[in-house]
Amino acid sequence: MPSSLPELLQLAQPLLFLLIAFFLPGTLALLPLRVGWPAAVALGPAVTLLLLGVGTFVLDALGIGWTAVSVSLMLLLPVGAVWLAGRGIRLERPLLPRPNGAGTENPSPATATATVRIAVGAGLAAAAALISVAVLRGMGSLSTASQGWDAVFHGNAVRWIQESGRATPWSINPIYGDGPATFYPSGWHSVIALYPGNLVEAANASALVIGGLIWPIGLAFLASVVFPRHPAVWALTPVLAASFVSFPFGQLLRSGQWPNGLSTALTPVALAMILLLLRRLSPGLNPRPVRPLKDVLLVLILTGAVAGGSVVAHPTAVFALVAGGLPFLLAWGVPLCVRAFRHRWRAALLGTVGAAVLVGAALLVLKDSRLLAGVMNFPRGVRATPPDSLALAFFDLPRFPVVVAPTPENFNLLVGLLVILGAIAALVLRTGWPLVVSWLIFVGLYVLAAGPESPLRFLTGVWYKDTQRIAPLIALTASILAAFGLAVLVRAAAGLVTRVLRARIAAPDRFRSALAAGLAVVAVVAVYQGSGHFRSADRVAVAAHNYITAAEPGIWLLSSGEQDFIERAGALLPEDAVVIGDPFNGETYFYTLTGRHVVYSRLGSPAPTEAKTVLRIGFDRLHDDPAVCAAIEEVGATHFYQDQPASVDREVWKGFYGVETAKGFEPVLVEGGRGLYEITVCR
């Protein structure tokens, strides 16, 4: 946690930059369309990602490098065009329902609106503080490099964009130019690469922006769409979402899945836009008057833009939206089809057949996708089996029971019970009930991904059968249901008290609303205190997992003082230097931290070429085996980084241990059992 002015400035600079980068372009583009300020802010990051995604191809085609200046100038065109055309294409009414004093008689619109906005703002502020403080405590410092498997790749990908000036999804090659271009979503990387300072600080600060702002704002937006008549749910949702370990702590920090995590954080607003579109397409199911065709078309375009921005962050957003949106689509489509078959059965039959053909065609196209097939068939060991996997899904345990036996304090018990209460209430009251089905779908997918092997487990292959990619989707739906359950509970309690005291109260309805608000605050505080400050210790521990450095090497990728050593050593290298060594023992960080090239730029795929295979198992024979020097020349290695022996994949990388550096090497920086040497033996 920052405790001095320099530390606060270190936090403020990348944080402010990323706030502007994520929110400003999209929000400015949405405002002239009259979507309303709350919607513009909530949808802004997704629209920004879409604009940047298109921009990567535009600048690449023009041969212009991906920099903050070039991107800013490029964004002026679409944003300016929307402002010029906004007066003629804007919505008749804002996207979100007007806040009102639900449950009161003849409330003052201005007062009710202000009260709801204050309540939602307070909920968002509380969520941002609860999440951000735990994230910062886990990191220790923004400048501490993450040691997650995915984080290593993403850091190097950002460095590659800064170096190459190219940011399209086909420009991020896993081995950076040593093979044919392959697709990888570059939305997150394209934003971080714009930061002119320390990219480690920018990557870490993005976790604060994504997890502490984009995520809770999106959840509040979705809550307002699912439960438009319950403003209390809008305010309570982000606060209760802060109790979950799965996001952002599990996905963004422990797994280092920054692009996928950004997609997760954008999923609530994309799902909300789909629901808003369905309402405008079904006048009979919409309590408001029929919208003009212009409004419907504009909402359709906005839905595509927001969903597109989520996909730019990571394509798995498509499958999350399908799984989460299917119950709402059926709730909208089935009554519509029933009415259509009653009155125009031929047209209804033709439409149904057409939709089935389109779905079938899409499935056939996806079936032939090699990329999707490789993902769907991703080998993943069994992580948990029922009932353990059900406990993980319902109560958000921070670790798998097979790894660490859980204690009662590890269960998100109180919030989990509120989720169940909210689900029951939604079904009984028949409001927002499709969200219950979405929640159960995500729970089912989580259980399938955890194991055991079954014919249906392949359905989770789009998430690499990784429970930590699916768990945040449970939190997405569960936090809204928990807020609804709490709102129903306190509303019922307030109603009971009001009925008892009605004869003594001048304005019973206002009293009931005020009492319900007070009880909600008390209830949230009670849940917070009763759950160990929303399991603060677990949230911090999960956040800290990839930021721990051990005294001895081999336990983590970096040991104590190693990041500082690499930064100082890298500064002594010429710009054309290429470092070789064990990537599991620090070598790959020379590229992330200093911009100096490395032979092994990622942790996976250790031997994509024969030369790299020779080096990883036989580099220590370079004094005696001419093939080793030939391989060194082929990969262009100029410097060797050696640390104390690591225990991770020691046999796979055994060539980099026991190397005699007394001859054939010139020391660049040697201290504390680690050293960087210039390779001279092969000259």
Side-chain angles (χ1 to χ4, degrees), residues 457-480:
R457 197 182 183 208
F458 83 97
L459 292 173
T460 65
V462 293
W463 292 280
Y464 297 96
K465 302 173 186 173
D466 183 8
T467 54
Q468 293 195 98
R469 297 172 190 258
I470 301 174
L473 301 175
I474 299 176
L476 184 159
T477 49
S479 58
I480 301 176

Side-chain angles (χ1 to χ4, degrees), residues 326-350:
L326 183 60
F328 291 94
L329 180 62
L330 292 176
W332 167 80
V334 170
L336 207 63
C337 288
V338 170
R339 287 199 299 269
F341 271 101
R342 285 176 178 173
H343 302 290
R344 298 181 180 180
W345 67 269
R346 291 185 179 85
L349 180 62
L350 184 62

Side-chain angles (χ1 to χ4, degrees), residues 353-660:
V353 172
V357 170
L358 288 176
V359 172
L363 292 176
L364 287 175
V365 171
L366 293 175
K367 179 177 176 292
D368 294 332
S369 170
R370 290 185 178 181
L371 178 62
L372 182 60
V375 172
M376 296 290 286
N377 296 322
F378 187 84
R380 177 81 64 179
V382 174
R383 310 299 295 272
T385 57
D388 286 343
S389 57
L390 285 170
L392 285 159
F394 283 117
F395 298 108
D396 189 50
L397 285 171
R399 302 172 191 83
F400 289 101
V402 295
V403 177
V404 178
T407 65
E409 291 77 16
N410 297 140
F411 289 82
N412 197 16
L413 184 60
L414 295 177
V415 174
L417 293 175
L418 285 175
V419 175
I420 296 171
L421 174 63
I424 295 172
L427 293 174
V428 171
L429 299 175
R430 301 187 67 182
T431 177
W433 64 265
L435 187 70
V436 180
V437 183
S438 299
W439 170 59
L440 292 175
I441 287 175
F442 290 133
V443 168
L445 289 170
Y446 183 98
V447 173
L448 287 174
E453 285 295 342
S454 70
L456 294 177
R457 197 182 183 208
F458 83 97
L459 292 173
T460 65
V462 293
W463 292 280
Y464 297 96
K465 302 173 186 173
D466 183 8
T467 54
Q468 293 195 98
R469 297 172 190 258
I470 301 174
L473 301 175
I474 299 176
L476 184 159
T477 49
S479 58
I480 301 176
L481 290 174
F484 183 63
L486 183 59
V488 169
L489 191 64
V490 299
R491 193 72 181 173
L496 180 61
V497 173
T498 303
R499 282 195 296 271
V500 172
L501 301 177
R502 179 173 291 273
R504 304 179 183 180
I505 302 173
D509 291 319
R510 290 185 179 181
F511 174 80
R512 183 178 62 179
S513 295
L515 180 59
L519 289 175
V521 173
V522 172
V524 168
V525 172
V527 172
Y528 176 72
Q529 294 290 342
S531 61
H533 297 179
F534 282 166
R535 298 175 300 160
S536 176
D538 284 327
R539 290 186 293 131
V540 171
V542 172
H545 183 269
N546 286 332
Y547 294 89
I548 298 171
T549 54
E552 300 296 329
I555 300 176
W556 304 98
L557 301 181
L558 296 171
S559 52
S560 297
E562 189 169 6
Q563 180 177 340
D564 176 68
F565 176 88
I566 291 174
E567 290 173 340
R568 290 186 290 114
L572 301 175
L573 293 176
E575 291 187 2
D576 60 350
V578 178
V579 180
I580 193 171
D582 182 356
F584 284 91
N585 212 3
E587 174 256 14
T588 187
Y589 283 96
F590 274 89
Y591 191 52
T592 303
L593 299 174
T594 72
R596 300 302 183 262
H597 280 236
V598 294
V599 175
Y600 303 100
S601 54
R602 58 181 301 191
L603 301 178
S605 304
T609 67
E610 183 178 352
K612 291 182 180 181
T613 302
V614 169
L615 293 171
R616 70 176 173 82
I617 64 176
F619 182 83
D620 57 334
R621 302 195 304 269
L622 80 170
H623 294 287
D624 307 312
D625 188 349
V628 177
C629 278
I632 289 174
E633 182 177 355
E634 181 178 333
V635 301
T638 61
H639 292 77
F640 169 55
Y641 175 63
Q642 185 180 55
D643 199 357
Q644 299 174 46
S647 60
V648 179
D649 286 342
R650 172 72 184 276
E651 287 301 312
V652 176
W653 306 93
K654 62 182 181 179
F656 299 117
Y657 297 102
V659 178
E660 179 56 58

Side-chain angles (χ1 to χ4, degrees), residues 45-179:
V47 175
T48 295
L49 262 290
L50 180 65
L51 294 175
L52 292 178
V54 175
T56 62
F57 292 101
V58 172
L59 294 186
D60 190 56
L62 296 175
I64 301 174
W66 188 260
T67 66
V69 174
S70 63
V71 171
S72 298
L73 293 175
M74 179 269 296
L75 288 174
L76 288 176
L77 293 176
V79 174
V82 174
W83 274 87
L84 289 175
R87 185 174 294 276
I89 61 175
R90 66 186 185 181
L91 293 170
E92 293 295 322
R93 293 184 180 180
L95 283 173
L96 289 181
R98 182 180 178 86
N100 60 61
T104 64
E105 292 183 3
N106 302 321
S108 165
T111 303
T113 299
T115 301
V116 171
R117 286 178 176 171
I118 291 172
V120 174
L124 291 172
L130 289 169
I131 293 172
S132 299
V133 168
V135 167
L136 285 172
R137 287 178 61 194
M139 288 179 180
S141 170
L142 280 187
S143 60
T144 303
S146 172
Q147 299 173 66
W149 183 291
D150 295 77
V152 169
F153 169 79
H154 297 312
N156 284 340
V158 171
R159 179 66 73 180
W160 173 251
I161 292 175
Q162 292 179 333
E163 179 183 329
S164 67
R166 304 179 64 204
T168 74
W170 280 270
S171 300
I172 302 180
N173 198 315
I175 50 176
Y176 306 116
D178 290 349

